[in-house]
Amino acid sequence: MTATLGTDIAEAAALLKAGRLVAFPTETVYGLGANAMDGVAVARVFEAKQRPEFDPLIVHIADSSWLDRVVTDVPPLARLLMERFWPGPLTLVLPKLDSVPDLVSSGLDTVGVRQPAHPIAIELIAEAGTPIAAPSANLFGRISPTAAQHVVDQLADRIDYVFDGGSCSVGIESTVVAVDGDRVVVLRPGGLTLEALRGVAPKVEFNDSEDTETQHASPGRTLQHYAPRTALVVRESPTLTDAERHLAVGLLSHNPGEGPAGFAMIERLEPDLPRAAAEFFAALRRLDASQLDLIVATPFPEYGLGIALNDRLNRAAAGARPA
Ligand code: TXA
Ligand code: MG
């Protein structure tokens, strides 16, 4: 099988209805979509991505009126967040309807739901007429795709269609939250900032724990994720050790200024965090494709999208092979 690369909504929607796999653009990253109500189609997603079955998928809906197809209840605070932030980069974890296959939620009694803010995604889901389960369209643990070509490079021989909708404007995945009374628990930082959530919810807590007791709450939060093939270290200042001077080292940095000495390649992101996020995964891919021995990345400030970007950087470092 080789995926068709195209822009035909009717063709892509027909494939989804038939239980096939279609990668499509969202404002965050490209998703690998399948009919969420079809357990066999969902199983194909796990197979194509080589994704472990303990890592649940997000269900994408065309309109909030579709919620009653996938969840049993929408608590008032969840409703408020949807009204404020949907369509957009916010996934809400809510109690799952039995009719949603257990594989979608990895056996949990909750399901993550989101209405993406991308006209192609909305049109495609509406035309397919069914909620669409979609993880990021990359092999498990690897760098997330923000352009159709990224998907083609990794998954072309495993899926049916790649819808080319250009580059993703946000560039990092959605913020995943659960609500508990008047508390918002952030399970994964992402494209919607904590500051934005705090503007609406009285209590926003960041569930940053990697310990096993809280793993069940966010099973997909494996430390090794978003990983390049090249070794990667996160370092405050863009300098090289003596040993590294003999290596081909690339730099990923959002700090403006002169190019520091000794780097074989520099990917400079915009200091503006939304613009840095939009370019982040593509820049990491370019570095990873450049036969470097090592990638040095400088951390982002710990506010706004910087929190989600640092999360991706630290996981990429943990998942990359040692230098
Ligand atoms: O922006 C995004 O969220 C993209 C686009 C395609 O929508 N999707 C995405 O999916 O990033 P994925 O599969 O790469 O990450 C989904 C993560 C899981 O790893 C898990 O941490 C969390 O969402 N998740 C999903 N369902 C959950 C649930 N029922 N309970 C807790 N966490 C859940
Ligand atoms: Mg992913």
Side-chain angles (χ1 to χ4, degrees):
M1 158 163 67
T2 296
T4 305
L5 177 63
T7 57
D8 187 335
I9 294 271
E11 185 181 354
L15 285 165
L16 286 169
K17 277 193 242 185
R20 311 307 307 184
L21 303 186
V22 173
F24 62 97
T26 81
E27 80 281 26
T28 58
V29 299
Y30 273 70
L32 176 55
N35 180 354
M37 311 311 277
D38 176 345
V40 175
V42 172
R44 288 197 180 107
V45 171
F46 282 89
E47 198 190 355
K49 272 196 69 135
Q50 299 173 342
R51 180 177 175 116
E53 292 182 1
F54 59 75
D55 192 0
L57 306 183
I58 293 170
V59 173
H60 298 69
I61 56 178
D63 190 274
S64 54
S65 66
W66 287 27
L67 274 168
D68 59 10
R69 300 194 197 186
V70 282
V71 306
T72 59
D73 180 43
V74 182
L77 181 53
R79 180 71 64 189
L80 186 67
L81 293 173
M82 285 168 196
E83 282 166 5
R84 181 68 184 75
F85 298 117
W86 276 9
L90 174 67
T91 295
L92 284 145
V93 171
L94 295 167
K96 183 180 90 63
L97 268 178
D98 287 343
S99 47
V100 178
D102 285 336
L103 190 53
V104 170
S105 61
S106 303
L108 296 173
D109 54 12
T110 56
V111 60
V113 189
R114 141 173 143 83
Q115 183 191 17
H118 195 297
I120 290 169
I122 294 291
E123 214 186 314
L124 179 62
I125 298 163
E127 177 87 17
T130 178
I132 299 296
S136 51
N138 52 276
L139 290 170
F140 178 71
R142 295 283 151 199
I143 302 172
S144 301
T146 53
Q149 190 59 45
H150 299 163
V151 183
V152 171
D153 291 347
Q154 278 195 358
L155 295 176
D157 54 351
R158 297 163 173 263
I159 67 177
D160 301 282
Y161 199 94
V162 178
F163 197 108
D164 189 352
S167 296
C168 302
S169 59
V170 174
I172 48 174
E173 297 84 347
S174 63
T175 302
V176 180
V177 305
V179 298
D180 176 16
D182 65 350
R183 288 190 315 143
V184 174
V185 181
V186 177
L187 304 176
R188 176 180 73 180
L192 184 72
T193 63
L194 302 190
E195 291 90 336
L197 287 168
R198 289 196 178 105
V200 172
K203 294 180 200 153
V204 177
E205 291 164 22
F206 189 21
N207 180 2
D208 195 21
S209 175
E210 305 289 350
D211 72 46
T212 44
E213 209 176 315
T214 53
Q215 278 288 322
H216 75 278
S218 191
R221 301 284 290 147
T222 47
L223 182 57
Q224 302 186 0
H225 220 125
Y226 315 106
R229 305 229 168 244
T230 316
L232 183 145
V233 292
V234 182
R235 191 174 288 171
E236 283 294 336
S237 89
T239 48
L240 296 175
T241 64
D242 284 341
E244 288 165 358
R245 283 179 215 289
H246 307 288
L247 303 175
V249 185
L251 175 67
L252 179 65
S253 175
H254 70 287
N255 295 319
E258 293 299 305
F263 287 94
M265 177 177 178
I266 297 178
E267 282 285 350
R268 181 97 52 203
L269 299 170
E270 300 281 339
D272 174 60
L273 289 171
R275 287 164 75 182
E279 267 299 302
F280 175 74
F281 282 128
L284 193 54
R285 268 171 197 269
R286 286 192 293 270
L287 287 162
D288 199 26
S290 300
Q291 273 82 46
L292 299 166
D293 300 308
L294 177 69
I295 300 167
V296 172
T298 58
F300 297 89
E302 272 291 319
Y303 56 78
L305 292 176
I307 293 172
L309 285 164
N310 284 333
D311 172 79
R312 305 304 186 267
L313 262 190
N314 291 328
R315 285 168 204 281
R321 66 173 172 75

